[in-house]
Amino acid sequence: MEKRIGRRTLRLSHPPAIISHACIGGRHEGKGPLAADFDELSQDSFFGEKTWEKAESTMQKRVLGRALEKAGMNEEDLDFIFAGDLLNQCIGSAFSLRDFAVPFYGLYGACSTMGESLSLAALLLDGGFGTTIAAMTSSHFCTAERQYRMPVPYGSQRSPTAQWTATAAGCSILSSRGEGPRITHVTCGKVVDKGIKDANNMGAAMAPAAYDTLSAFFRDTDTGPEDYDLVATGDLGKLGHEILRDLFARDGVTLGGNCTDCGLLLFDLERQDMHCGASGCGCSAAVFNGHLLRRMEEGSLRRLLFAPTGALLSPTSSFQGESIPGICHAVCVEVLS
Amino acid sequence: MEKRIGRRTLRLSHPPAIISHACIGGRHEGKGPLAADFDELSQDSFFGEKTWEKAESTMQKRVLGRALEKAGMNEEDLDFIFAGDLLNQCIGSAFSLRDFAVPFYGLYGACSTMGESLSLAALLLDGGFGTTIAAMTSSHFCTAERQYRMPVPYGSQRSPTAQWTATAAGCSILSSRGEGPRITHVTCGKVVDKGIKDANNMGAAMAPAAYDTLSAFFRDTDTGPEDYDLVATGDLGKLGHEILRDLFARDGVTLGGNCTDCGLLLFDLERQDMHCGASGCGCSAAVFNGHLLRRMEEGSLRRLLFAPTGALLSPTSSFQGESIPGICHAVCVEVLS
């Protein structure tokens, strides 16, 4: 069977199953509408550590530990881990994985990392290079604010288009054996930059990348948004999601009520005063590894197009006057039976 | 054929060929012993740009362009690009790839990125997910100094164990069709941390990771260092290379004269006053995509074990008192005919 369909989409010959998954979150995530879908919620933003960066590593350690535990596995059962995060030099993943003796391919896909890690894990399993692979990422509000904007204690005012970085981590364990929702298709993103320069409006910067990847996926698979129970982009938030709807509308494609964004799901935007919604690698990772996979297991969701988006900027690139490139990695997850 | 041999090594069923490669470097690289192996050397550390960070993106753009040109290809011929760099949020790769409409999986493996990108490109080709994939990385002395240590204009004194970040970029184009040296085996690294905390002594921090990956490779393939024309680690430099020799000596394994390190090859350590040697993603990338692949094409090198190493620290992790985790990704490259 030809694996490549159309120009950019890969159809897996032996779709791997997501045999286990876990997500953990912080205080705000615990007050949001998806609280019940978390495996662990911490009131302590330090997760018992002395710094927020160490806390983020600890989140990754714990979420990997929980996903393994739920699978009845230990680290020796993993052939690879694909992981990454937003911290400079991805120290969230590197320091968490010191405690796990597992072969590790480090990724940087900004907030698209859950999609990128699931994609590569699925491809390596489909290629017969292993039987069990973990895909993981995290973000932390306080590490992201300090690194990208201002340290939290400064109490900076947030602009109306700002999003709130999730303090959350998510991990999926994929296997070529075992049962669970399966990754059937993978579409790799391209770097798309439409010239948005406002680092407080990431949704607008990433929407064109989501449009590019989703359009390619629909074209390659000869399907439309209506063919999925749910189409969930990464963390475009309210404004980015509206822009995505507009971009598709220009092509005569209507994104219906089955199309949403993880950044719209994690928090109650009004009640929690979250402006344009949630963001960060941990946003789509937690929504996917909590809410969405639970719905798939319960049977209320059978065909999901999951498309996390990332903004590939750095504070340095913004200081140097650069615009914000975006990327979006999509996977189709299906309950086959 | 079983792809996994031993615990950690993958033997490719259809070893992809490196059909094209290119490397570019800066002023110091042009004064070193490998100058003649570069495709392009620039006297201008800004590569025509206004900032060093933009210069690094430009290096990646140019090296990818040159590798494509040498292959007689253009961007439409590439199924994927695997790339990454040392800059915060990997902006070297992200901004260079704005100008190429190619599906992109971003990596963070610090100075092991050439090994990581070659590994994943080879696995995806072997798995039948594409026919042509580029693997690329870069580093720049001035961006790395500014980010990890002190801005260059401060004129900080360097410690004797310090290494000099290469201003260089390298790119390989791999294909499941076509001719060239082939990637026959891949061994993925683990995060190894032996507690070294001196950020000016990266070689010592990374040597245990190189030992871990190379030991696994030799054990899995039932070979020893003497079975290769050359074993070249990433950028351990002088001290790290000695530590690696010591670690193997404890096992009764002698690393002979065919075992070297890219950090020892790029510069003339004495004449160029480079302390412990070269480092940076661009070091192993340039040595591999220039000197080593040229020797393979000429026939003076037929069986190469290439094992770039990375130090997974950040300035933040060091400020917070953390030690330096290392990783090493190995590929075996062979002239088969």
Side-chain angles (χ1 to χ4, degrees):
Chain A
M1 189 172 87
E2 180 58 54
K3 287 178 179 174
R4 185 168 289 264
I5 54 173
R7 180 77 190 99
R8 276 171 64 186
T9 301
L10 296 162
R11 180 177 50 197
L12 304 195
S13 319
H14 306 95
I18 300 172
I19 59 167
S20 179
H21 53 93
C23 66
I24 66 182
R27 194 160 50 90
H28 290 291
E29 291 68 28
K31 288 183 182 163
L34 306 186
D37 293 316
F38 280 85
D39 294 280
E40 180 182 336
L41 288 163
S42 172
Q43 288 300 308
D44 170 21
S45 69
F46 287 96
F47 286 76
E49 300 290 343
K50 281 189 179 169
T51 71
W52 287 316
E53 287 76 14
K54 290 179 199 263
E56 191 167 341
S57 289
T58 295
M59 284 166 64
Q60 286 207 19
K61 256 186 261 186
R62 284 204 208 161
V63 81
L64 175 56
R66 278 188 175 266
L68 282 169
E69 193 186 326
K70 286 168 81 176
M73 291 182 157
N74 56 43
E75 64 189 77
E76 288 86 46
D77 296 311
L78 292 178
D79 295 309
F80 300 101
I81 293 178
F82 283 99
D85 55 88
L86 290 172
L87 291 175
N88 293 345
Q89 287 72 55
C90 299
I91 53 170
S93 327
F95 283 85
S96 76
L97 294 177
R98 281 195 299 193
D99 295 347
F100 295 88
V102 179
F104 165 50
Y105 286 125
L107 304 180
Y108 186 76
C111 304
S112 74
T113 303
M114 198 65 229
E116 186 182 2
S117 59
L118 286 170
S119 298
L120 288 167
L123 296 180
L124 256 55
L125 289 171
D126 192 59
F129 299 111
T131 52
T132 312
I133 303 181
M136 173 170 71
T137 189
S138 66
S139 57
H140 192 298
F141 176 73
C142 303
T143 64
E145 287 297 306
R146 170 144 78 189
Q147 186 178 278
Y148 286 103
R149 285 165 285 263
M150 287 287 174
V152 175
Y154 287 14
S156 300
Q157 203 166 4
R158 311 175 68 237
S159 80
T161 55
Q163 293 171 241
W164 187 279
T165 304
T167 297
C171 177
S172 299
I173 296 182
L174 283 72
S175 177
S176 52
R177 301 169 192 159
E179 295 304 318
R182 291 178 187 276
I183 295 185
T184 57
H185 297 77
V186 168
T187 304
C188 179
K190 293 178 179 177
V191 179
V192 177
D193 188 339
K194 296 295 183 194
I196 300 287
K197 290 193 173 187
D198 179 1
N200 286 308
N201 190 356
M202 302 282 211
M206 296 187 291
Y211 167 74
D212 177 73
T213 298
L214 291 177
S215 301
F217 177 86
F218 292 137
R219 193 171 51 240
D220 290 347
T221 54
D222 198 19
T223 62
E226 65 284 0
D227 294 314
Y228 299 85
D229 295 332
L230 192 72
V231 177
T233 49
D235 53 352
L236 297 178
K238 207 166 154 183
L239 184 59
H241 183 66
E242 280 165 22
I243 294 170
L244 182 66
R245 286 185 179 271
D246 286 349
L247 290 169
F248 271 106
R250 288 190 202 169
D251 295 343
V253 175
T254 305
L255 297 186
N258 65 330
C259 295
T260 187
D261 180 77
C262 296
L264 298 174
L265 299 175
L266 188 62
F267 300 126
D268 181 324
L269 270 49
E270 299 304 318
R271 196 174 46 79
Q272 294 187 279
D273 190 24
M274 289 302 185
H275 296 55
C276 262
S279 68
C281 301
C283 167
S284 54
V287 172
F288 180 74
N289 287 292
H291 183 60
L292 298 178
L293 284 176
R294 283 178 192 240
R295 282 188 57 197
M296 295 196 95
E297 286 165 354
E298 289 160 12
S300 64
L301 183 62
R302 295 183 59 87
R303 203 176 189 204
L304 164 70
L305 180 53
F306 177 58
T309 47
L312 302 171
L313 83 168
S314 82
T316 303
S317 68
S318 294
F319 291 156
Q320 295 183 2
E322 285 287 5
S323 52
I324 304 171
I327 196 160
C328 171
H329 293 293
V331 290
C332 179
V333 190
E334 298 182 70
V335 176
L336 303 174
S337 62
Chain B
M1 189 171 86
E2 180 57 52
K3 288 177 177 173
R4 185 167 288 262
I5 55 174
R7 179 77 190 97
R8 275 171 63 185
T9 301
L10 296 162
R11 180 177 50 197
L12 304 195
S13 320
H14 306 95
I18 300 172
I19 58 167
S20 179
H21 52 94
C23 65
I24 66 182
R27 193 160 52 89
H28 290 290
E29 292 68 27
K31 288 183 180 162
L34 305 187
D37 293 317
F38 280 85
D39 294 280
E40 179 182 336
L41 288 163
S42 172
Q43 289 300 309
D44 169 22
S45 69
F46 288 96
F47 286 75
E49 300 290 343
K50 282 189 180 170
T51 72
W52 286 315
E53 287 75 14
K54 289 178 200 264
E56 191 167 341
S57 290
T58 295
M59 285 167 64
Q60 286 208 19
K61 257 185 259 185
R62 285 204 208 161
V63 82
L64 175 57
R66 278 188 174 266
L68 283 169
E69 192 186 327
K70 286 167 83 176
M73 289 182 158
N74 56 44
E75 64 189 78
E76 287 86 46
D77 297 312
L78 293 177
D79 295 311
F80 300 100
I81 293 178
F82 283 98
D85 54 90
L86 290 172
L87 291 175
N88 293 345
Q89 287 72 55
C90 299
I91 54 171
S93 327
F95 283 86
S96 75
L97 293 177
R98 280 195 299 193
D99 296 349
F100 295 88
V102 179
F104 164 50
Y105 286 124
L107 304 180
Y108 186 75
C111 304
S112 74
T113 304
M114 198 66 228
E116 186 182 3
S117 58
L118 287 170
S119 298
L120 288 168
L123 296 180
L124 256 55
L125 289 171
D126 192 59
F129 300 111
T131 52
T132 313
I133 303 182
M136 173 170 72
T137 189
S138 66
S139 58
H140 192 298
F141 176 73
C142 302
T143 63
E145 287 297 307
R146 170 146 76 187
Q147 186 178 281
Y148 286 103
R149 286 164 286 263
M150 287 286 175
V152 175
Y154 287 15
S156 300
Q157 204 165 2
R158 310 177 66 236
S159 82
T161 54
Q163 293 173 241
W164 187 280
T165 306
T167 299
C171 177
S172 299
I173 296 182
L174 284 72
S175 177
S176 52
R177 303 170 190 158
E179 295 303 319
R182 291 177 188 277
I183 296 186
T184 58
H185 298 76
V186 167
T187 304
C188 179
K190 293 178 180 178
V191 179
V192 177
D193 188 338
K194 295 295 183 194
I196 300 288
K197 291 195 174 187
D198 180 0
N200 287 308
N201 190 358
M202 302 281 210
M206 296 187 290
Y211 167 73
D212 177 73
T213 298
L214 291 177
S215 301
F217 177 86
F218 292 137
R219 192 170 54 238
D220 291 345
T221 54
D222 198 20
T223 63
E226 65 282 2
D227 294 313
Y228 299 84
D229 295 333
L230 193 71
V231 178
T233 49
D235 53 352
L236 297 178
K238 207 166 154 183
L239 184 59
H241 183 66
E242 281 164 22
I243 294 171
L244 182 66
R245 287 185 179 272
D246 286 349
L247 291 170
F248 271 106
R250 288 191 202 169
D251 294 342
V253 175
T254 304
L255 297 186
N258 64 331
C259 296
T260 187
D261 180 79
C262 295
L264 298 173
L265 299 173
L266 188 61
F267 299 125
D268 181 325
L269 269 49
E270 298 305 318
R271 196 174 46 78
Q272 294 187 279
D273 190 24
M274 289 302 184
H275 298 54
C276 262
S279 67
C281 301
C283 168
S284 55
V287 172
F288 179 76
N289 287 293
H291 182 61
L292 298 177
L293 285 176
R294 282 176 193 243
R295 281 187 59 197
M296 295 196 95
E297 286 164 354
E298 288 160 16
S300 64
L301 184 62
R302 295 183 61 85
R303 204 177 187 203
L304 165 69
L305 181 53
F306 176 58
T309 47
L312 301 171
L313 83 170
S314 81
T316 303
S317 67
S318 294
F319 292 155
Q320 296 183 0
E322 284 288 4
S323 53
I324 304 172
I327 197 162
C328 171
H329 293 292
V331 290
C332 179
V333 189
E334 297 183 69
V335 176
L336 304 173
S337 61

